[in-house]
């Protein structure tokens, strides 16, 4: 297997909480993932129409979508989530045991009311202690500052490497954990590149000021199941790698 994540990139991840890896996802798979994204957006729009709402949790119809927990309905998503590229990345960062924790499409539509997403740690959305997990941010479109890419804040500039409590922002339902004036480092990526960041790394995203949607598939993996107080998995606890072996490879 060719090297997807170099030791230099791994060192940056450990030092800063994030790193960028180029040319990870084949373009043929990117095209299929885009098709699945559009299918799920239509389903979410139809659901909100049935409810008679424009905002459903942190989904804003026609503006911003977070569509999660759908990989079992998509062979295409399975091909990426349990494929050889994700296997190598997750093993190198998390170790010899890896579980799928959560997957979701994150979409910023072209909209006159352009929406941002506030500074947060992914762990800030969990209200209990847990081992930090890995987020793999996979843009399905080329991403720039103009169309709302992610901005990442190195640990040393955030001043914290651990999870902290966040504040709920009225109107957007975002949770916010960093209130400083550091703009962060923009991830300018092509479709097929990925940004890797720890669940304790602060990040935000800007507004999409273009006339096209900005689509991302966010995949999150953990070194152990993340469980609620009753012992049930919070989202998924799907075994991916066990004792260094991929036990969930989709052909």
């Amino acid at each position: 297997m060719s090297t997807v994540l170099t030791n230099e990139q791994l060192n940056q991840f450990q030092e800063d909480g994030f790193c960028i890896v180029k040319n990870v996802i084949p373009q043929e798979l990117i095209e299929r993932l885009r098709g699945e994204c559009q299918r799920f957006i239509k389903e979410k729009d139809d659901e909100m129409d049935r409810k008679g709402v424009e905002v459903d949790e942190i989904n804003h119809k026609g503006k911003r979508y977070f569509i999660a927990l759908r990989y079992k309905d998509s062979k295409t998503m399975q091909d990426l989530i349990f494929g050889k590229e994700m296997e190598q990345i997750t093993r190198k960062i998390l170790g010899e045991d890896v579980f799928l924790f959560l997957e979701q499409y994150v979409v910023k539509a072209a909209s006159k009311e352009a929406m941002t997403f506030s500074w947060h740690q992914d762990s800030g959305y969990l209200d209990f202690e847990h081992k930090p997990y890995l987020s793999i941010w996979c843009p399905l479109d080329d991403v720039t500052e103009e169309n709302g890419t992610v901005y990442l804040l190195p640990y040393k500039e955030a001043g914290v490497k651990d999870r902290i409590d966040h504040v709920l922002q009225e109107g957007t339902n975002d949770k916010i954990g960093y209130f400083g004036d550091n703009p962060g480092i923009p991830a300018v990526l092509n479709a097929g590149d990925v940004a890797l960041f720890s669940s304790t790394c602060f990040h935000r995203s800007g507004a999409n000021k273009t006339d096209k949607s900005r689509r991302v598939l966010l995949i999150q993996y953990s070194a152990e199941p993340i469980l609620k107080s009753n012992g049930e998995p919070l989202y998924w606890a799907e075994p991916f790698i066990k004792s260094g072996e991929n036990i969930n490879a989709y052909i």
Side-chain angles (χ1 to χ4, degrees), residues 8 11 24 45 48 61 66 75 95 114 121 124 131 147 177-178 189 194 197 208 214 218 221 229 232 235:
E8 182 180 8
N11 289 338
V24 173
D45 282 346
M48 285 194 276
K61 187 180 178 185
F66 294 81
K75 173 65 165 59
Q121 301 166 311
K131 183 180 288 187
N147 71 351
Y178 174 76
L189 308 174
V194 300
F197 46 93
N208 181 2
R214 187 227 67 181
L218 176 67
Y221 301 90
S229 59
E232 295 179 355
Y235 297 116

Side-chain angles (χ1 to χ4, degrees), residues 153-170:
L153 194 61
Y155 282 146
K156 60 181 177 292
E157 296 182 33
V160 62
K161 294 180 69 171
D162 299 320
R163 175 195 175 276
I164 64 171
D165 291 335
H166 287 45
V167 176
L168 186 68
Q169 183 181 56
E170 291 186 13

Side-chain angles (χ1 to χ4, degrees), residues 116-131:
T116 62
F117 198 44
S118 304
W119 278 118
H120 66 284
Q121 301 166 311
D122 287 337
S123 281
Y125 278 81
L126 278 60
D127 59 0
F128 55 88
E129 291 302 316
H130 57 278
K131 183 180 288 187

Side-chain angles (χ1 to χ4, degrees), residues 56-213:
D56 186 12
E57 296 181 337
I58 56 176
N59 292 285
H60 294 247
K61 187 180 178 185
K63 302 174 186 176
R64 189 178 79 177
Y65 296 88
F66 294 81
I67 303 173
L69 305 172
R70 301 307 304 271
Y71 88 92
K72 290 189 176 182
D73 299 329
S74 172
K75 173 65 165 59
T76 294
M77 293 176 70
Q78 294 163 12
D79 288 343
L80 176 63
I81 291 168
F82 301 113
K84 63 182 186 299
E85 294 86 4
M86 297 299 123
E87 176 185 349
Q88 189 194 114
I89 289 170
T90 57
R91 281 187 62 185
K92 206 157 190 177
I93 290 178
L94 295 174
E96 298 297 276
D97 293 292
V98 177
F99 297 81
L100 174 65
F101 171 54
L102 180 63
E103 34 62 41
Q104 60 181 323
Y105 280 103
V106 182
V107 179
K108 287 192 176 188
S111 171
K112 293 180 180 180
E113 299 178 45
M115 297 192 70
T116 62
F117 198 44
S118 304
W119 278 118
H120 66 284
Q121 301 166 311
D122 287 337
S123 281
Y125 278 81
L126 278 60
D127 59 0
F128 55 88
E129 291 302 316
H130 57 278
K131 183 180 288 187
Y133 53 92
L134 169 64
S135 294
I136 303 184
W137 199 79
C138 309
L140 307 182
D141 304 288
D142 296 348
V143 290
T144 64
E145 293 186 76
E146 187 69 15
N147 71 351
T149 194
V150 68
Y151 293 74
L152 299 150
L153 194 61
Y155 282 146
K156 60 181 177 292
E157 296 182 33
V160 62
K161 294 180 69 171
D162 299 320
R163 175 195 175 276
I164 64 171
D165 291 335
H166 287 45
V167 176
L168 186 68
Q169 183 181 56
E170 291 186 13
T172 65
N173 294 327
D174 293 356
K175 287 190 174 183
I176 308 176
Y178 174 76
F179 298 90
D181 56 7
N182 191 315
I185 298 171
V188 178
L189 308 174
N190 294 324
D193 301 340
V194 300
L196 314 178
F197 46 93
S198 168
S199 65
T200 60
C201 176
F202 273 102
H203 56 285
R204 67 177 179 92
S205 61
N208 181 2
K209 301 175 183 176
T210 71
D211 59 0
K212 296 180 180 179
S213 292

